[in-house]
Amino acid sequence: MKKDFLKYQAQTTPHPLALEVSHASGSYIVTTDGKEHLDFVAGVSACSVGHSHPRIVSAIKEQAEKYLHVMVYGEYAQKPAVELTKLLSEHLPNPLSKTYLVNSGTEAIEGAMKLARRATGRTEIIAAKKAYHGNTMGSLSLMDFEERVKPFRPLIGDISFIEFNREKDLEKITSKTAAVILETIQGGAGFIMPTNDYLKKVKKRCEKVGALLILDEIQPGFGRTGKLFGFENFDLVPDIVALGKGMGGGLPIGAFSASDELMDLLMDNPKMGHITTFGGNPLIAAAALATLQEITESDLMEQSLEKEKLFRKHLQHPLIEEIRGKGLMLALILESAEIADKLILKAKEKQLILFWLLFEKRAVRLTPPLTISEEEILKGCGIIVDILREIEKDEMEC
Ligand SMILES: Cc1ncc(COP(=O)(O)O)c(C=O)c1O
């Protein structure tokens, strides 16, 4: 399979991990050679309630027996999408009462940016340096890494950047600004938490100048930080929130939510301000509804904070400089990028799945399914510490 994977499927890097997947369940991915791999990555935070959760699989099966795609987004009332958006509205704070369902995180960001420009009549969008919001042209325009964006220019216009957590930069948000867009916790940058009421201060500045605040919850959302949405840890409510990844429980989905007043603008001037064929697809919405029900009806959110403590307690080694993040959105910061590489590749050999972060090369992501057990956490942490000891020993011998 690996040969055909490399030959026929377009690749994103010359050296993919290329595990040959047979099936997956709970915290484990089983490869075609029968080996079980403990998954500390969860499809990059997407498999929020573990692989092939029975509640999600049965929701998908039940919906598949009834109907699949019947019409483009927004024309017909379909129970899974209606129930999903209603339940989201019950869990999102006021005034975030209406949700537009799309197909991916990056499309949620595109929709949020369009809504902000439409609502304010302004064009400037301010993003944070080292942010990651997706890879379509609009989302890519919010990235300040020249080497990653240069080949794709021109991107969309009137984007400026501020430094995350730098209060002085808030002066750059003015009456020309349509929206400020931030990840609640900066992911690719190394799981950087907002400090010193930063997000509240951004919101206040936005309110002062009439700009909107968009928070990207695509990674922290859906229980990963101990709350359903990461921003609930920081005592503020954004004007627009972008959702994705863990929302689908392993199926592709994105969404953006706002007040009725804001969202209704997409119906007019122009009519159909955002269009998507498959947004709100009944199969995907049924999976997302089951995921949301599972997260909100169980104690998975509280558990994620207890599980964070276990990770922090059992991941102690001199090569680990720091553990960043919250709940089950954690990043090990190692002494160097080389050590991070070695750890990830050696862990693969020992059937523990770890992965990199996009921009912080010294980081190793720990974003397991929220359903991971204490025993699995201890097993994985033991493997990590053993590998770090081996790396340390090798370094001393060199
Ligand atoms: C914070 C954040 N925003 C947006 C995205 C883009 O989501 P997608 O890959 O579903 O387009 C990601 C994906 O990694 C993300 O982590």
Side-chain angles (χ1 to χ4, degrees):
M1 185 156 70
K2 185 173 169 187
K3 213 170 127 218
D4 284 353
F5 167 63
L6 296 172
K7 184 166 162 54
Y8 296 109
Q9 202 174 331
Q11 299 294 316
T12 53
T13 76
H15 310 292
L17 289 179
L19 284 182
E20 296 190 27
V21 179
S22 162
H23 54 281
S25 166
S27 303
Y28 283 92
I29 296 176
V30 183
T31 39
T32 46
D33 54 8
K35 286 185 178 163
E36 293 187 338
H37 302 257
L38 178 56
D39 188 2
F40 271 14
V41 176
V44 185
S45 302
C47 310
S48 41
V49 290
H51 295 286
S52 304
H53 191 287
R55 187 169 185 174
I56 298 175
V57 172
S58 82
I60 294 170
K61 282 186 179 160
E62 207 179 295
Q63 183 56 39
E65 299 282 337
K66 289 185 189 149
Y67 61 95
L68 298 177
H69 181 74
V70 287
M71 188 46 169
V72 296
Y73 178 84
E75 288 298 328
Y76 295 173
Q78 301 173 48
K79 201 170 172 202
V82 173
E83 288 196 353
L84 172 62
T85 50
K86 186 175 173 199
L87 190 60
L88 271 172
S89 173
E90 285 166 18
H91 285 286
L92 279 162
N94 274 332
L96 303 172
S97 49
K98 230 174 211 176
T99 296
Y100 196 123
L101 298 171
V102 292
N103 306 283
S104 62
T106 197
E107 191 188 351
I109 298 293
E110 301 285 338
M113 284 198 282
K114 286 168 72 182
L115 180 56
R117 282 187 170 174
R118 167 68 185 84
T120 58
R122 304 175 185 176
T123 54
E124 184 189 51
I125 295 178
I126 297 183
K129 293 181 184 171
K130 296 190 185 164
Y132 183 75
H133 296 290
N135 247 263
T136 48
M137 282 294 183
S139 306
L140 198 62
S141 309
L142 305 172
M143 194 188 281
D144 75 318
F145 280 86
E146 193 49 27
E147 75 275 15
R148 292 195 65 88
V149 296
K150 195 174 171 195
F152 309 111
R153 287 193 184 284
L155 301 174
I156 68 164
D158 215 0
I159 307 288
S160 328
F161 293 95
I162 56 176
E163 194 85 49
F164 193 77
N165 274 335
R166 187 162 186 239
E167 286 177 35
K168 204 165 169 295
D169 280 6
L170 300 187
E171 289 163 17
K172 295 182 185 168
I173 306 168
T174 69
S175 57
K176 290 199 171 113
T177 311
V180 176
I181 177 161
L182 298 171
E183 292 165 85
T184 306
I185 298 171
Q186 278 206 313
F191 289 15
I192 311 286
M193 302 283 289
T195 51
N196 195 20
D197 277 341
Y198 174 69
L199 294 177
K200 268 174 100 168
K201 287 172 187 163
V202 179
K203 177 76 182 4
K204 204 166 156 219
R205 176 71 186 170
C206 285
E207 279 168 1
K208 190 169 172 206
V209 299
L212 301 178
L213 174 61
I214 303 170
L215 284 184
D216 179 342
E217 282 278 339
I218 290 164
Q219 180 149 226
F222 292 87
R224 213 157 258 291
T225 67
K227 303 267 186 196
L228 190 56
F229 304 103
F231 66 77
E232 293 174 290
N233 292 299
F234 303 106
D235 189 27
L236 85 156
V237 180
D239 298 289
I240 305 174
V241 63
L243 307 170
K245 281 194 186 277
M247 179 181 184
L251 263 65
I253 193 166
F256 55 106
S257 307
S259 64
D260 290 8
E261 195 190 0
L262 275 182
M263 203 60 98
D264 289 350
L265 294 170
L266 289 179
M267 290 193 292
D268 182 39
N269 191 23
K271 232 169 113 177
M272 297 186 281
H274 189 71
I275 305 177
T276 161
T277 299
F278 286 117
N281 175 278
L283 203 66
I284 312 288
L289 177 62
T291 306
L292 183 56
Q293 285 165 337
E294 185 59 26
I295 294 173
T296 54
E297 290 168 13
S298 66
D299 61 353
L300 284 173
M301 287 186 266
E302 296 96 88
Q303 273 186 36
S304 75
L305 298 178
E306 292 307 311
K307 291 172 183 173
E308 172 188 354
K309 288 185 198 153
L310 275 181
F311 272 106
R312 289 187 183 276
K313 182 170 164 203
H314 293 278
L315 284 176
Q316 305 220 10
H317 188 276
L319 291 179
I320 301 174
E321 292 211 327
E322 196 187 338
I323 301 178
R324 292 203 199 126
K326 189 171 172 68
L328 291 177
M329 184 177 167
L330 298 174
L332 280 185
I333 308 296
L334 296 148
E335 251 181 28
S336 66
E338 292 69 38
I339 293 173
D341 284 351
K342 277 187 194 160
L343 173 58
I344 292 166
L345 296 173
K346 280 177 184 266
K348 183 189 166 198
E349 285 164 24
K350 294 180 191 277
Q351 290 155 239
L352 172 69
I353 301 178
L354 300 174
F355 208 59
W356 294 265
L357 293 186
L358 201 53
F359 305 132
E360 173 51 89
K361 300 295 177 207
R362 294 173 306 142
V364 172
R365 82 161 44 237
L366 302 171
T367 54
L370 305 185
T371 48
I372 193 162
S373 70
E374 180 173 338
E375 194 195 344
E376 289 162 346
I377 293 174
L378 297 195
K379 179 178 163 187
C381 290
I383 296 174
I384 292 174
V385 172
D386 283 349
I387 295 172
L388 291 176
R389 283 194 193 121
E390 280 171 31
I391 295 173
E392 196 182 33
K393 198 166 150 242
D394 289 350
E395 284 192 343
M396 275 170 15
E397 282 167 10
C398 280

